[in-house]
Amino acid sequence: MSDATSTSGDIMAADHADQRERVIELLTKAYWMEIETVMSYIANSINPDGVRAMEIRESLEKDIQEELGHAQQFAARIKELYGVVPGSMDFAAEQSFLQPPEEQVDVVHVIKGVIEAESGAIEHYSRIIEETDAIDPVTQDMVIAILHDEQGHKRLFEGFIREYEAEGLA
Amino acid sequence: MSDATSTSGDIMAADHADQRERVIELLTKAYWMEIETVMSYIANSINPDGVRAMEIRESLEKDIQEELGHAQQFAARIKELYGVVPGSMDFAAEQSFLQPPEEQVDVVHVIKGVIEAESGAIEHYSRIIEETDAIDPVTQDMVIAILHDEQGHKRLFEGFIREYEAEGLA
Amino acid sequence: MSDATSTSGDIMAADHADQRERVIELLTKAYWMEIETVMSYIANSINPDGVRAMEIRESLEKDIQEELGHAQQFAARIKELYGVVPGSMDFAAEQSFLQPPEEQVDVVHVIKGVIEAESGAIEHYSRIIEETDAIDPVTQDMVIAILHDEQGHKRLFEGFIREYEAEGLA
Amino acid sequence: MSDATSTSGDIMAADHADQRERVIELLTKAYWMEIETVMSYIANSINPDGVRAMEIRESLEKDIQEELGHAQQFAARIKELYGVVPGSMDFAAEQSFLQPPEEQVDVVHVIKGVIEAESGAIEHYSRIIEETDAIDPVTQDMVIAILHDEQGHKRLFEGFIREYEAEGLA
Amino acid sequence: MSDATSTSGDIMAADHADQRERVIELLTKAYWMEIETVMSYIANSINPDGVRAMEIRESLEKDIQEELGHAQQFAARIKELYGVVPGSMDFAAEQSFLQPPEEQVDVVHVIKGVIEAESGAIEHYSRIIEETDAIDPVTQDMVIAILHDEQGHKRLFEGFIREYEAEGLA
Amino acid sequence: MSDATSTSGDIMAADHADQRERVIELLTKAYWMEIETVMSYIANSINPDGVRAMEIRESLEKDIQEELGHAQQFAARIKELYGVVPGSMDFAAEQSFLQPPEEQVDVVHVIKGVIEAESGAIEHYSRIIEETDAIDPVTQDMVIAILHDEQGHKRLFEGFIREYEAEGLA
Amino acid sequence: MSDATSTSGDIMAADHADQRERVIELLTKAYWMEIETVMSYIANSINPDGVRAMEIRESLEKDIQEELGHAQQFAARIKELYGVVPGSMDFAAEQSFLQPPEEQVDVVHVIKGVIEAESGAIEHYSRIIEETDAIDPVTQDMVIAILHDEQGHKRLFEGFIREYEAEGLA
Amino acid sequence: MSDATSTSGDIMAADHADQRERVIELLTKAYWMEIETVMSYIANSINPDGVRAMEIRESLEKDIQEELGHAQQFAARIKELYGVVPGSMDFAAEQSFLQPPEEQVDVVHVIKGVIEAESGAIEHYSRIIEETDAIDPVTQDMVIAILHDEQGHKRLFEGFIREYEAEGLA
Amino acid sequence: MSDATSTSGDIMAADHADQRERVIELLTKAYWMEIETVMSYIANSINPDGVRAMEIRESLEKDIQEELGHAQQFAARIKELYGVVPGSMDFAAEQSFLQPPEEQVDVVHVIKGVIEAESGAIEHYSRIIEETDAIDPVTQDMVIAILHDEQGHKRLFEGFIREYEAEGLA
Amino acid sequence: MSDATSTSGDIMAADHADQRERVIELLTKAYWMEIETVMSYIANSINPDGVRAMEIRESLEKDIQEELGHAQQFAARIKELYGVVPGSMDFAAEQSFLQPPEEQVDVVHVIKGVIEAESGAIEHYSRIIEETDAIDPVTQDMVIAILHDEQGHKRLFEGFIREYEAEGLA
Amino acid sequence: MSDATSTSGDIMAADHADQRERVIELLTKAYWMEIETVMSYIANSINPDGVRAMEIRESLEKDIQEELGHAQQFAARIKELYGVVPGSMDFAAEQSFLQPPEEQVDVVHVIKGVIEAESGAIEHYSRIIEETDAIDPVTQDMVIAILHDEQGHKRLFEGFIREYEAEGLA
Amino acid sequence: MSDATSTSGDIMAADHADQRERVIELLTKAYWMEIETVMSYIANSINPDGVRAMEIRESLEKDIQEELGHAQQFAARIKELYGVVPGSMDFAAEQSFLQPPEEQVDVVHVIKGVIEAESGAIEHYSRIIEETDAIDPVTQDMVIAILHDEQGHKRLFEGFIREYEAEGLA
């Protein structure tokens, strides 16, 4: 009889197809967010000019690998839940706030863009954590770890903007 | 007098702005090709099912880092030539042939897609090599090395397709 | 007063002996599952013949260390909860589906055996996650991580079997 | 509308300031516990005399780095939640049981002190796990991992004391 | 003509099937001895309590990998000689002397168990060396190396027991 | 006769107990200075906000390990000279100048605090070097090496403050 | 007197020149076998096309270094026994069965060629082991280790061919 | 006949002595440029004061090894072309723009000096590339790679100066 | 239209078959040169006697891996250009000057042999560079790098012979 | 004139031959002390039986390399001062207290032997430090570092003996 | 019954005490040979002067670790066979031929000494191999590996001497 | 009061400006000596021809990094003492004895030049050690370590020259 009704937390079980669909949907959105972040961070780890910009460039350059890793984790999880990782045709850019500024010395523009991007990610990942609770603990645990990365990153850039605010530049 | 007219191969010199514009244009296209390839290879290193697919998946997974590296090289070169690396809003997908197939066991679809993508890259990079000759030896040298990677990759997948043809499956 | 009644999540507290007994029981079963898997994977990482079998053999060989590590984690946790890791006399084989096939080129037999073993593990580990919820977060967290490994492994072998099904061999 | 009320698990959201205050308070206490443990373990990894003491000294010396790492994790989390890591003036020693004994061959004194210190940490960290449930999953997940370390450590030293009890020395 | 009668030392030759059968039989027994030792050493590297027990636990923990390696060497050699590595259903525990003792501080029980297990292995491996002489030099050479490990291990634990005897505890 | 009166530089000899007492006293003070510095640097490697603060934070974060190493060297030397490393109850904070500032963007506060702390250490370590001359060359040599680290560190932060002075901010 | 008649196993002794001649002869043949194998494996690690061929190509590519190492061991041993390593003019190809096939997808041709090459090596090395017994234990021991490599390799490729036989392709 | 007149690209051939002389002359100048840059970068990686100066100091410190490596490459190439690496007596300083400024917080002075030094190098290396074309492809290829380093470095410091210009400081 | 006639530098394009044939021919000769060099260097890294010979032996031993790597690069390039790497039956020795000398202390014989071998390689590789110019930049770039290795090696051994000439021994 | 009378601290100067003789004498004695310690520690890292002995064995085994390193430092310094490192015929054993005891479980014998050996070394090295003061700072500095090692080692074994004293066994 | 009479190759069995005694005697002599060689090689890796001497010095310096390792292997084997590793008082120097020569540029003296030492070792080790045959395969196998090292070393130095003979210097 | 008069060994104290000036002067000379040595060693690690020259070339090549490191240490210490590292315009070559010889096989010229350079360094560094005694122990300690390197190097090259003297070539 224990075979008839699967354990509630076994998301891969046959009778949990609907829940899987919902989780895949959430993961797919997260996947595209990370892919776009990779693009945005490549550009912003190279474009900005200036000594102060170096700190931001180096920080973003290190994050490229991290964010790509997140994307690959999301993609692998989609596959594990019997979904299909979407192709490049499905990509639609959303990070209007992380496009190159007019002037490459405008570092404030980049910092604010990063904060906005991270805020969006944090909100979405918090949602996944809520929705997977008691349904898919593996996805939940994986997303909590990724959320930690994003929170730390957002907090760092909030510190950056504070300095510019103190100087009256932001 | 030697200061008045710069050395012909010094692409960074002030009086070579037009040539730089052209090279940046070529590099920007190359940059987007590599970025899209990263997306396509992530999906195709995860989606396919089957034992034989493993060889393809592992090959593509290793290439993700390589192609990302190419993208970062192109981006850095754009910056060195006083250009601006474009933001995610400028991205437009072109690799219709590398979208996920109907059936995830359809490995032939993936192999053919990779060959088409590599053929496009090879053609474009050969053009850059021609156009930068005696104008920008640094870009030329960098692109020759990348071209080598792509030729090797294309040849490998042509070998794969040959096996399927021999079996009457492609 | 806070000393009188221990925090609910402190599984090591004296008044949680019953809960500990139950968790140790679950962990002991998990321990033996992993030990048997080690045996099965050694045999199946060596016995099968053929080019296609190589992919399976290499995959299983890598997993031997991973599964042994799981066994050691389960054993260490049993000890931490004041239990005793059982001796070899308590071992009873259960993976009838992972015994060597008649023919060593019969890879499908191995693949199906792995899927069945992983399915059993996933079901049992999902149960542990449920039963330890709010009682022993440390065990729960440890098992979620192990569950992730097993889900990924099962999904991979399901992909393998799909190829043989497509070829009418499974 | 989803912007108006933030996701319940997004502890960094503006309307969760009270919850953050409480979590910071708990983390600050944890931070000081780890800092004092670093001091106590330095002294006790050096002071004890004797062959048997070597095992304890080496065990504690390895833990210095681990406990320092915990302290840094707690401190970083305080910052991420918009708190301020306190300065050395706020430190108040509490581990009276881990001060150097009269005789440096009195290893039992050290073992008992470690057990008491770990018990205090386990109790406090279990409380954090409870209080952050569904409120701050990132802090919760981080503390569960630290709790695991402390449980393992306590259990090891309980085993040590048992030997001395069996010999009638404790 | 050189094909008609094979070199006496070429155990893989077709006309040496009987000798191979015998060697496989001996290797299979050796394989199971190592597998059971892995189980016994996992349990005994975790169960014992006490400072002195640490030395034994650490020694056994290091040996787990070594013994697993031996098992894999035996298994690979069985395959090379056209045999089949047996499945978990064939396992039958024999190390009654290495089951967990009543009291986890009873280290003497563990030490004696290890000596008995190693003695059995040494006797069996010495037999293999004798029987493979001039018949299968590769197996012989491999087993001599493994025998060296076991002799060293036995001698170490004999030294341990001697201390307890000197103290009148064994 | 050479046995009757020990070599003047042999600080461990029985008839040098008074000199040892004095050296232990100096080392104990040095030990606590380093321990407090560890605390201060953890806090100040995490609290400050801003791009420019990053340089200071990274510099201090690297120094945490270095200063902890100094503390452990001082503690080990105390033990070698037959002293006892003090417990946490003996700690008394003195670095009032390194407590968190009102505003976390106030980097000047941190820089000045570091200079003051290093100045105190340099003065005390110079005293140890003087007092141990021809009495305890081993302690002297060890402290010279540590002094070098502190001088370099002080000089670096003096350079930092100079920039702020040039900008009229300090 | 012990100088008059050398120890029987001291192959380097002056009165063992004849035995050395014979061993050098055997080693020289072995040397050329390994050199030719290096050539054959380079070609066959690059020429074959197809997904299944990848497993064979990778296996052979790894073996190139191993076989080169064998050749260098044989050459060094020739020198130690007062012989001279022959020059390239003495090389005569013998592995007609390992030349490139008509069709590069003909993997069965390659597998059979490898088995034939390994069989020849095994036979020759078994002969060396026999002839050096009690005469030159160092050469014997070295060749046993090399023989083990070759036996394992042959067995692997026999497994490959079995799959093709099962599919009616070989 | 092909021996009579050497291949045009074989710079080492006897009848290319004149061309070699010219290349050696160009390489010798390049060699001294790199040597002086090593001196200038050592001084400027240590002298400047201030937080912002750290970025420049670290950048230059890393480049010391790179520039020394360039010098060694130029020297080795001189030797390969039958020239002699000159001794220290031949050195004549030319980088008047990279001498220590009056004030060590004057970072703009350093940045401008680096740009001027790199511009000179780029011009000279572009000339070498032109003059070696079709004459000495090895030197040409080596210099292209070095030129790439210098272009990247110049571009970076141009970005630095831009920030100071934006702030009205340069 | 740009599709109709391929880019001149795209050697893999269908209408460049003749050029590919010629390049493959040149690469095949280069491949055999490197293979023979591997053989010659193995023998000459082992045969020579004497202290001075050590420098030559060590130099050649290091080059074995380098030359094998060159051979593998040539072979891979042949494959990429749709050629077939030849089998061992096609090998014909040409380095008569690198056969073992009468006396193993005759180091001059070896040095002269190496110089002759390298001269031949340099001439052939210079030809490949000329012939691939503007036709196959990838092959050209690869061969330039290999040519650099050979030039450096030749120059080193020319320095060796000069010493013997100065001593009247060559 | 500064050439006429050399700097007092330049021990290698021609007019310091007498001082060099004395230093070489001291170093030669130190050299033999370390060589004998190597022998004693090899024997005592292998002979003792028992669990408690393991701590001593491991400690001594690690020190073998350290003491050998000291011997090599002393030998190199003798050479630098124009002395000759003595041959094995000059060796005369002095560590009667470190010979193997009657019973291999007699660990106290070993511990006391180590303390006596270290005490002798400390006394001699303290003498060297005194005698080289202001005469040969390089030797002095080198010996201070070695002295530190020996002091730490002695103190550790004094701690060991204290435990046995507390138990009434020493 | 198989328990009554032990396997002939089980040297550790109780009824093989006589054979063990003989093997221990042989191993003890071997142990002292290696210890003396360590001393001789330290001296001779430091004393000789001259460019050609460098090759010998470096060769001997590398061998110090190897020979020390041999000594430790012999010592460990003595212990395994229930023997006792002798103390330093038992050492008696025998390598009169490896004492420092009159003139430190007399390299021929050193080379001949090494050859004599290695010849002695080879003779003794060949004897051990003979005497342990079928009695103690583990010791035999261990000594064969060590013998290989010594043969290679002797052969190398014979090559060195040949050069000096050719020059009429030896 | 202790603040009024600084510790005598605190060279960074305000009232030690004169002493600092003198130390900086000495360090600046040392800095330029090392810089010139870097140049001389680059040239002399590349120019010399011949087998024997290899030993010298390799020795000098390794020293380039060491000497550069010394230069950087001197430069950093100048900065720490509130001095300014001089620019390249201040460089004046002094090592006339290390310029390239007429003939590149003239190794004796190079050896003598190195000895002269090292002698000069040793004399100057001995002076610094004397002058900094009890004034600046950190500089003193740093220079003692550097002096050790130079003494060892000088002694090595004196050994080289001795060989040539024995052969009547120097």
Side-chain angles (χ1 to χ4, degrees), chain E residues 32-89:
Chain E
W32 284 125
M33 288 170 97
E34 296 287 353
I35 289 290
E36 187 169 12
T37 301
V38 169
M39 284 189 231
S40 295
Y41 284 10
I42 291 176
N44 286 300
S45 71
I46 289 176
N47 280 327
D49 283 321
V51 175
R52 272 208 273 199
M54 283 309 280
E55 204 67 64
I56 281 113
R57 288 174 56 176
E58 286 161 12
S59 177
L60 293 177
E61 196 183 343
K62 252 187 310 192
D63 288 330
I64 291 170
Q65 284 304 321
E66 192 176 303
E67 308 293 353
L68 183 70
H70 294 169
Q72 286 177 301
Q73 280 181 284
F74 284 126
R77 190 66 191 158
I78 288 169
K79 177 73 180 176
E80 282 167 14
L81 299 178
Y82 303 106
V84 176
V85 185
S88 57
M89 288 295 176

Side-chain angles (χ1 to χ4, degrees), chain K residues 15-111:
Chain K
D15 52 355
H16 286 176
D18 287 357
Q19 293 178 339
R20 275 205 304 277
E21 276 315 298
R22 176 60 184 149
V23 177
I24 287 169
E25 200 181 312
L26 291 163
L27 290 169
T28 303
K29 183 174 174 193
Y31 172 70
W32 284 126
M33 289 170 97
E34 297 286 352
I35 289 288
E36 187 168 10
T37 301
V38 168
M39 285 189 230
S40 296
Y41 284 10
I42 291 177
N44 286 301
S45 72
I46 289 176
N47 280 329
D49 282 322
V51 175
R52 272 208 273 198
M54 283 309 280
E55 203 68 62
I56 281 113
R57 287 174 59 177
E58 286 162 12
S59 177
L60 293 178
E61 196 184 342
K62 252 186 311 192
D63 287 330
I64 291 169
Q65 284 304 322
E66 191 176 303
E67 307 292 353
L68 182 71
H70 293 168
Q72 286 176 301
Q73 280 182 285
F74 283 126
R77 190 66 193 156
I78 289 169
K79 177 72 179 175
E80 283 166 13
L81 298 179
Y82 302 106
V84 176
V85 185
S88 57
M89 289 294 176
D90 284 14
F91 176 79
E94 300 201 342
Q95 301 179 345
S96 55
F97 39 84
L98 264 172
Q99 305 309 301
E102 283 306 291
E103 281 301 309
Q104 302 311 318
V105 291
D106 183 358
V107 173
V108 169
H109 175 91
V110 176
I111 296 172

